[in-house]
Amino acid sequence: MKDTFDRKIDYLRLSITDRCNLRCRYCMPEEGVDSVGHGGVLSYEELLRIAAAAARLGVRKIRVTGGEPLVRKGVVGFVQQLAELPGQPEITLTTNGLLLGDLAGELKQAGLSRVNISLDSLREDRFEQITRRPGLQRVLDGIHQAAAVGLTPLKINMVPLRGVNADEIADFGRLTLEHPWDVRFIEFMPVSGGLGYSDENRFSAQEIMTELESVGPLTPVERSGPAGPARLFRFRESLGRVGVIPAVSNHFCSECNRLRVTADGRIRPCLLCSDELDIRDALRAGAVDEELEKILLNAVIAKPKQHRVGEKDYQEGRRGMQQIGG
Ligand code: SAM
Ligand code: SF4
């Protein structure tokens, strides 16, 4: 699929739940989480029909996300069905890692190719401060288990926040000296209002680079294959790589290759624009495959050239990241 700006769209992010077993302050509020409820969330059958339609239209990679995807019952079987779709798209998953220790082996067997794990602090007290829940050791166990069963190359995503955890950027960077992991730093995005942090907490890509350079000289890594949003670097003799995702300060919209489906069946052409297309109603009204394909194509056409964060008239959206899937 090509959009109006000649970008090839071959990547689908499927949110399978808006529920989560953490409450990260930059993502969702502690209370009043507006869960869409059981009937509102797409069933696995409905999600599979969307994924199959996308695969027929040329989608080659599907990422399962949430909320926390591993809290939804039946996720392993669902991953297996995705992996068996015609064309065998690559299946990946983004998780907070809490349940990964238990599920990594089964997920690998089911056909998952790799995982991204979100982790924002290596200190238990801070982990709990940011996520409002304990669990650092479980996440670390999950990371090691995922590596052990071969859900690799493993990626760790950190959102550095000024005055909160930005002083741990160097420690996260040092993980790549001993582990063959990609540790990626993502600029905080003002997706929705009412969160624990604001623009002032955003640590910019430039500031992240300065912190990383305190560990040692960095060499840029040539990108091979499809360009992801991260700018990648290596420390001398490191096993892994560090990456910076300048989501806001230097956006990568010209390389955007993705569509997102929310757990309640809306297709979101752009993460940082509130426009959405409904596909749930069509599914529940008995739409045939061609109709689903048409909705996906319309979403591709609706992709804006770029997001408008930072512009005067930019307005934060109604939905938190846990509803959109990141
Ligand atoms: N629960 C899973 C997890 O945390 O990995 C998957 C869903 S989560 C919404 C996906 C990603 O979005 C996570 O890496 C999280 O750090 C990131 N995220 C959430 N809110 C964000 C924000 N305001 N700015 C930048 N990244 C954010
Ligand atoms: Fe949950 Fe992921 Fe959002 Fe944290 S970032 S609250 S783990 S959905």
Side-chain angles (χ1 to χ4, degrees):
M1 292 182 279
K2 280 273 176 104
D3 75 1
T4 347
F5 305 98
D6 208 33
R7 293 173 295 202
K8 186 173 174 192
I9 310 302
D10 58 4
Y11 175 21
L12 183 71
R13 296 180 66 105
L14 274 185
S15 173
I16 64 169
T17 180
D18 65 344
R19 293 173 187 273
C20 189
N21 45 4
L22 294 180
R23 287 282 180 282
C24 303
R25 287 175 195 271
Y26 56 76
C27 179
M28 64 201 280
E30 165 78 287
E31 302 286 348
V33 181
D34 191 15
S35 177
V36 286
H38 197 57
V41 170
L42 295 183
S43 66
Y44 283 136
E45 290 72 25
E46 290 169 330
L47 285 160
L48 270 175
R49 283 199 66 203
I50 298 173
R56 284 194 298 277
L57 292 170
V59 161
R60 295 283 158 261
K61 180 170 140 186
I62 299 176
R63 177 170 297 280
V64 179
T65 178
E68 173 48 41
L70 299 187
V71 301
R72 182 158 175 186
K73 260 213 199 106
V75 60
V76 174
F78 176 61
V79 163
Q80 179 159 357
Q81 286 177 300
L82 284 177
E84 289 168 354
L85 283 175
Q88 296 183 319
E90 181 186 33
I91 312 303
T92 62
L93 181 137
T94 298
T95 173
N96 62 29
L98 273 181
L99 300 174
L100 198 53
D102 296 336
L103 291 174
E106 289 174 57
L107 286 165
K108 175 74 185 171
Q109 285 240 307
L112 190 71
S113 71
R114 51 202 173 77
V115 279
N116 287 9
I117 298 143
S118 309
L119 178 61
D120 300 306
S121 179
L122 298 167
R123 306 183 195 173
E124 179 64 56
D125 56 337
R126 277 220 186 135
F127 178 94
E128 194 166 336
Q129 183 200 343
I130 297 169
T131 68
R132 301 186 178 103
R133 303 282 188 273
L136 174 62
Q137 194 52 49
R138 275 172 73 192
V139 176
L140 295 175
D141 292 346
I143 290 174
H144 288 287
Q145 189 59 21
V149 303
L151 288 171
T152 52
L154 196 130
K155 295 184 187 170
I156 297 179
N157 292 336
M158 182 217 193
V159 179
L161 295 158
R162 192 181 314 285
V164 181
N165 62 348
D167 58 349
E168 291 189 59
I169 291 173
D171 290 344
F172 271 82
R174 279 189 205 98
L175 291 174
T176 67
L177 300 176
E178 290 177 13
H179 301 285
W181 303 336
D182 279 0
V183 176
R184 310 181 322 158
F185 302 89
I186 306 174
E187 280 181 345
F188 168 71
M189 291 176 260
V191 176
S192 63
L195 298 177
Y197 305 116
S198 67
D199 277 358
E200 284 90 67
N201 294 104
R202 179 179 313 119
F203 216 64
S204 72
Q206 190 50 54
E207 293 173 296
I208 295 167
M209 286 301 291
T210 305
E211 289 292 316
L212 287 172
E213 279 159 355
S214 74
V215 176
L218 286 167
T219 312
V221 177
E222 282 287 314
R223 288 196 283 178
S224 60
R231 310 284 175 260
L232 292 170
F233 305 86
R234 236 179 223 297
F235 295 113
R236 200 174 299 143
E237 294 179 13
S238 66
L239 296 180
R241 308 180 293 184
V242 290
V244 180
I245 304 188
V248 175
S249 66
N250 181 12
H251 57 68
F252 37 81
C253 304
S254 64
E255 296 170 16
C256 186
N257 61 349
R258 58 199 65 187
L259 282 183
R260 296 178 161 80
V261 177
T262 65
D264 58 348
R266 308 287 188 273
I267 305 182
R268 183 126 174 159
C270 169
L271 170 63
L272 293 170
C273 313
S274 295
D275 297 347
E276 297 178 348
L277 285 81
D278 194 327
I279 196 165
R280 187 180 66 188
D281 283 353
L283 277 162
R284 295 186 179 174
V288 296
D289 288 347
E290 289 70 26
E291 290 171 82
L292 301 183
E293 288 171 19
K294 182 90 178 80
I295 296 172
L296 287 168
L297 287 168
N298 285 341
V300 165
I301 290 168
K303 278 180 75 65
K305 186 168 182 203
Q306 58 189 54
H307 71 66
R308 308 190 54 197
V309 178
E311 293 182 22
K312 272 206 296 296
D313 56 351
Y314 173 74
Q315 284 196 328
E316 290 173 342
R318 200 173 39 85
R319 284 181 185 266
M321 198 74 110
Q322 93 285 358
Q323 293 186 318
I324 308 168

